[in-house]
Amino acid sequence: MSTLRKCLLAVGLLGLSLGAQAYQSVYHGTLGKQAITLVIEKTNDYKHGFYFYDRYRTPIRLKRSVNYSRQLFMDELDSGGLPTARLRFYNPDGNAAREPMLGTWTAYANARQLPLELRLVADFGHQQAWPAGTPSLPQAASTERFYFQIPLADDHDRVKTIEVMEKASGKRVQTLEVDLPDCHSQGIDTLKVRLEGGSTQVLLEASSYCLGKVFEWREAKGQFEALN
């Protein structure tokens, strides 16, 4: 293969890699009168994510969507993956750190509508986080008692630890050590939760670069323990 063709191939592969790169934005604000946290993940022109009421901290999935005419429409999904409400954001690509991102939430069942008002508080891009020192990226997976976050600010997008957060208090109750090379953030779905043999497990899935890590809840000890 000629040097020119090798260079063109390398540039093409780099373009594909960068084109598929995901970015996450975290917002705080209100839905009606309720305080919420919203996380939107962007890959090329597509966006999906989740939000939770700060009072309960149980993630609610938002279906993958795309911007139309400076507006973003995202369907809220129930636990079975069926749409229950539509979130409409005005000017989602504006500077929400300075001006709030406004919108509406509309229930499909009865057309009830509530206002949305959100401000950008954190951005996670490829090997960078804003603002500097931003601690953790919330995850879409959770258990009945806990939700999870991944600290990324210290070493770009490498996953070193997992924060176990208590839903009832919003406080961190445990830090899980991953301690593996080449395990990088996969965005809001970096962590999975499953029930295995009657026990709750939190896992960082294995890939061609990452060996993966599994933690299991030990009720007697009141904590997660590593299985590998």
Side-chain angles (χ1 to χ4, degrees), residues 189-200:
D189 291 309
T190 301
L191 300 182
K192 309 294 183 187
V193 171
R194 70 185 180 191
L195 195 63
E196 189 74 20
S199 297
T200 299

Side-chain angles (χ1 to χ4, degrees), residues 157-176:
D157 59 354
R158 182 183 169 193
V159 179
K160 289 183 174 181
T161 60
I162 299 166
E163 295 176 338
V164 182
M165 312 293 292
E166 186 179 50
K167 287 184 177 180
S169 65
K171 295 181 179 179
R172 183 178 63 197
V173 294
Q174 189 178 359
T175 299
L176 308 177

Side-chain angles (χ1 to χ4, degrees), residues 18 27 35 43 54 57 95 104-105 152 154 183 191 209 215 221:
L18 292 176
Y27 301 82
T43 306
D54 293 351
R57 303 183 180 89
N95 190 344
T104 57
W105 174 96
L152 296 176
D154 291 338
C183 290
L191 300 182
Y209 301 102
F215 301 90
K221 296 182 178 180

Side-chain angles (χ1 to χ4, degrees), residues 113-134:
Q113 190 171 94
L114 296 171
L116 285 162
E117 183 172 334
L118 299 147
R119 285 189 180 274
L120 180 68
V121 295
D123 252 334
F124 295 88
H126 181 54
Q127 297 189 341
Q128 62 182 352
W130 173 90
T134 295

Side-chain angles (χ1 to χ4, degrees), residues 38-103:
L38 167 73
V39 185
I40 293 180
E41 183 164 287
K42 296 159 278 190
T43 306
N44 295 331
D45 291 331
Y46 291 94
K47 298 182 180 181
H48 72 294
F50 67 90
Y51 77 93
F52 57 75
Y53 292 94
D54 293 351
R55 180 179 178 183
Y56 303 109
R57 303 183 180 89
T58 295
I60 301 169
R61 288 273 188 177
L62 298 175
K63 186 178 179 180
R64 193 181 191 205
S65 185
V66 66
N67 284 34
Y68 291 103
S69 302
R70 297 174 62 84
Q71 296 186 36
L72 174 64
F73 298 88
M74 303 182 83
D75 278 344
E76 172 184 316
L77 305 177
D78 64 14
S79 58
L82 297 176
T84 57
R86 167 153 287 197
L87 283 73
R88 179 181 185 180
F89 302 102
Y90 304 106
N91 196 22
D93 297 318
N95 190 344
R98 291 189 297 183
E99 297 292 334
M101 180 171 67
L102 304 178

